[in-house]
Amino acid sequence: MVRCLRLFAALTVAVAFAFSLAQDLDAPQGGIVQIPLATTPGSLNPILPSELASAIINWTMFSPLTAVNPWTNEVEPYLAESYDANDDLTVWTFYLHQGVTWHDGEPFTAEDVKFTFDAIRDPETAATTAPDFARVTDVEVVDDHTVRVTLSASDGFFADRLSLGGNEIIPKHVLEGFDSLYDAVDFISRNPIGTGPFKMRNAQPGSFYELVANEDFFRGRPFLDGLTFRVVPDGNTRVTQLLTRQLDWVDLEAPQLPSVRNNANIEVTTFDSLGYQLFAWNLLNPLFQDVRVRIAMTHAVDRRSMAQTVSPNLGNVDDVYIPAGVEWVERPDVEYREYDPELALQILSEVGWAQNSDGLLEKDGETFSFYILVDRGDVQREQMGLILQQYFTDIGMDVEYVLAERGGRWLDETRARTFDTRLAAFPLPNLDWAQRLYTCSGPFNSQSYCNEEVDRLFGEVLSTIDRQEQSRALTEVGYVLYDDPPNMVLLWRDRMTAHSADVGNIPPNNIKDSMPFSYLLYRR
């Protein structure tokens, strides 16, 4: 399934929302679905810095202006009923749904959108998505249900970007009285107020969160009576709890498939994630700043063999950073970096690294020492980290394997950019994510990658909605990233979820990206 950039037929024509035919719109009402979170959500205010657990639960309680439909993978209006842009893509106008209310019954208006966007732009908020608003010069309330956003330069992806999380609208009437959004402690931790399909009933941080259906949800009452999110850090425990019906829907890793494959009470959904597992260098670390070192380390790993070990017949390995499934972008004609440890050592010797009498790589009296930071609970990455450690050790590197809680050290070092190397997954729900990941100021560029040519080319991509021009620039981005790799692609992965067989309307998508449409889930 292709996730593609939205192409307007005519930007002066508003875009109408349409349901996917894949959705059962005549479903029974009632019941609760239980979903795991790997960590306690860091914030129940969606625009504050957060992590995966926050994104999952917040998307059920707060509404974005636009959302990616998890059945079609197309961007659609959501809290906005429609939107348009001027010819040079510098003025975007959003026409909001009328009759929308917050969970406390207060009316939603354009003032809430302005309040949210201004808060994201405020440096004191430290919003993860602040770079997405770097070109915004003005947010104007035209009337109660119309908002106009003016940009300093063309941005063909502005509406798309609002769909990717962290830009959900928050209530002005609840939060404007605080000097800082961080002062709204009760809102952040236990009692958020949104416009989404579910609202908080009982929050027990570290344990569970009980949500109930929003009877007044503007897209119609959810089919379910509620959702329960349970904090379950370990991936294998999540599968065990699915088998014992303590959970109803889990993201699944390949090593876990045999335990659920032949269970009549569980269904497995497989889909192209258009995202990849990666090994990221911290490019603030002098060890990895020479591109030859990064290329040598890539040759030191048999990625194809590793992929078959951790994800047999699910996904592929490549050295290109744009998904092959995005067919309208021409693939760069580059050669895959094969496993060749002798070539790796030869390249490293050119940089000055040589094996000492103990077999360790050494340069100027210092050994090549670093650690790999792995987030506990992702079974596939836990395996990959150990395999990578062995490959790098085999060529004389001194490598420590550090397994850390995702909501603890792993996330802390990712945000602070203090890790040596780390394992992670990068999604590409649309190609604006590549801009978020690889431009110098990209909000998710935790590896501190910066290449002026990449920034220039992404500027060309954003300045047009012409698909051919975007494709040309993105292909050039691919060549630059190949020559100057920001990280090592370990696996373009097919993904799986497993769910109780009596739960319907499960999208062919991961849990997080499905949550804006959680109101369509039902129990048979």
Side-chain angles (χ1 to χ4, degrees), residues 9 19 59 68 70 84 106 139 191 217 279 324 342 373 407 472-473 503:
F19 280 107
W59 253 345
V68 176
D84 58 41
E106 291 295 314
V139 181
N191 293 304
F217 182 52
F279 171 79
E342 292 185 1
L373 187 62
R472 178 198 58 76
V503 178

Side-chain angles (χ1 to χ4, degrees), residues 22 24 34 59 172 186 320 326 337 353 373 419 433 447 516:
D24 181 357
Q34 303 182 90
W59 253 345
K172 177 181 178 179
D186 188 58
V320 174
V326 183
R337 292 189 170 109
W353 293 98
L373 187 62
F419 60 90
W433 263 91
Q447 65 248 319

Side-chain angles (χ1 to χ4, degrees), residues 119-415:
I120 292 173
R121 297 166 62 205
D122 183 348
E124 292 189 7
T125 305
T128 303
T129 59
D132 292 342
F133 288 77
R135 300 182 182 202
V136 175
T137 59
D138 185 52
V139 181
E140 176 189 358
V141 173
V142 178
D143 58 43
D144 281 352
H145 300 101
T146 309
V147 179
R148 181 176 297 127
V149 181
T150 302
L151 312 176
S152 61
S154 300
D155 187 349
F157 288 120
F158 185 72
D160 293 59
R161 195 172 298 120
L162 298 178
S163 72
L164 299 180
N167 299 318
E168 296 92 312
I169 307 304
I170 58 177
K172 177 181 178 179
H173 72 280
V174 175
L175 297 171
E176 67 177 336
F178 292 92
D179 292 336
S180 166
L181 292 180
Y182 294 92
D183 294 338
V185 176
D186 188 58
F187 186 101
I188 291 171
S189 60
R190 292 182 179 274
N191 293 304
I193 301 294
T195 59
F198 294 91
K199 54 186 180 181
M200 186 68 70
R201 179 172 69 181
N202 184 13
Q204 299 295 324
S207 182
F208 65 87
Y209 298 80
E210 293 180 345
L211 280 61
V212 295
N214 177 8
E215 301 283 346
D216 300 317
F217 182 52
F218 66 97
R219 288 185 167 222
R221 186 202 189 274
F223 294 134
L224 294 172
D225 290 333
L227 298 172
T228 297
F229 292 93
R230 301 192 181 278
V231 180
V232 186
D234 182 71
N236 289 327
T237 302
R238 293 194 284 270
V239 173
T240 298
Q241 292 191 3
L242 175 69
L243 292 167
T244 57
R245 303 187 72 84
Q246 298 172 76
L247 293 172
D248 292 302
W249 187 15
V250 302
D251 287 318
L252 198 68
E253 301 293 346
Q256 301 163 332
L257 180 59
S259 64
V260 301
R261 177 183 282 142
N262 298 316
N263 191 309
N265 296 317
I266 295 173
E267 295 179 359
V268 175
T269 301
T270 302
F271 53 95
D272 181 355
S273 71
L274 297 185
Y276 60 93
Q277 298 276 30
L278 64 99
F279 171 79
W281 299 280
N282 185 341
L283 299 180
L284 299 177
N285 188 325
L287 273 179
F288 311 117
Q289 289 174 353
D290 192 315
V291 66
R292 292 173 294 177
V293 170
R294 307 199 298 272
I295 290 173
M297 292 179 72
T298 304
H299 284 297
V301 179
D302 189 343
R303 290 174 288 158
R304 287 186 173 133
S305 174
M306 180 168 62
Q308 281 302 306
T309 297
V310 304
S311 188
N313 303 314
L314 287 168
N316 66 288
V317 182
D318 204 346
D319 281 321
V320 174
Y321 294 83
I322 301 297
V326 183
E327 298 175 351
W328 60 269
V329 177
E330 182 179 351
R331 186 187 188 280
D333 184 16
V334 297
E335 184 177 352
Y336 176 73
R337 292 189 170 109
E338 299 282 357
Y339 173 55
D340 191 339
E342 292 185 1
L343 176 59
L345 286 171
Q346 176 186 325
I347 296 172
L348 288 167
S349 69
E350 295 171 1
V351 187
W353 293 98
Q355 290 181 333
N356 61 21
S357 58
D358 296 323
L360 292 174
L361 287 171
E362 186 177 284
K363 178 181 179 182
D364 300 329
E366 299 290 333
T367 57
F368 202 115
S369 300
F370 66 94
Y371 63 86
I372 304 173
L373 187 62
V374 183
D375 53 328
R376 187 190 303 276
D378 188 293
V379 176
Q380 194 174 82
R381 287 198 287 275
E382 288 182 7
Q383 292 181 314
M384 285 180 158
L386 292 169
I387 295 170
L388 286 167
Q389 181 188 34
Q390 187 60 57
Y391 277 125
F392 295 139
T393 299
D394 287 345
I395 64 169
M397 294 178 175
D398 179 20
V399 185
E400 181 184 2
Y401 174 87
V402 177
L403 189 62
E405 296 300 327
R406 184 178 180 91
R409 178 178 175 180
W410 185 89
L411 186 61
D412 291 343
E413 293 196 21
T414 296
R415 287 176 174 168

